[in-house]
Amino acid sequence: MTREIDDELWTAIGDPTRRRVLDLLLTGGPGTASSLSRELPVTRQAVAKHLAVLERTGLVNAEHAGREVRYGVNSDQFARAVAQLAAVGQAWDGRLRRIKAIAEAIEKTKKFR
């Protein structure tokens, strides 16, 4: 597993509609642009565009069944995104601990003046 952050992946996840699409696919299983659009305040065409972005980043897979295209979450890529988010969270936790330590040290020096 890489610690490198994938900007394209996070740009895709950064959009609220795409996050909602992912949420719907995670909770409800595979779906089509039409079925997903019934759950979202956007058109089927907009959902299709969002799904194309998610597919390009590997977060969803498209399965063609006749004229219908069903999308499902790519669990490996989703797990990679979760791992990246955890790594970013840990890095920020470390930064915040250092900031707190610096602030406390400054506060201590003010008390002794």
Side-chain angles (χ1 to χ4, degrees), residues 28-105:
T32 64
S34 295
S35 67
L36 293 166
S37 70
R38 289 191 286 274
E39 304 293 324
L40 297 164
V42 296
T43 65
R44 186 198 65 74
Q45 290 84 357
V47 171
K49 288 179 181 180
H50 286 294
L51 286 165
V53 171
L54 292 171
E55 184 180 17
R56 193 168 49 250
T57 60
L59 285 164
V60 299
N61 295 319
E63 188 174 307
H64 298 267
R67 293 181 57 189
E68 189 173 79
V69 181
R70 296 187 66 73
Y71 293 87
V73 174
N74 176 336
S75 58
D76 290 340
Q77 183 71 331
F78 189 75
R80 182 171 170 250
V82 170
Q84 284 184 18
L85 181 58
V88 168
Q90 288 174 351
W92 274 104
D93 286 346
R95 289 178 184 117
L96 292 172
R97 280 191 301 275
R98 288 190 295 279
I99 290 168
K100 181 181 178 193
I102 291 167
E104 288 171 347

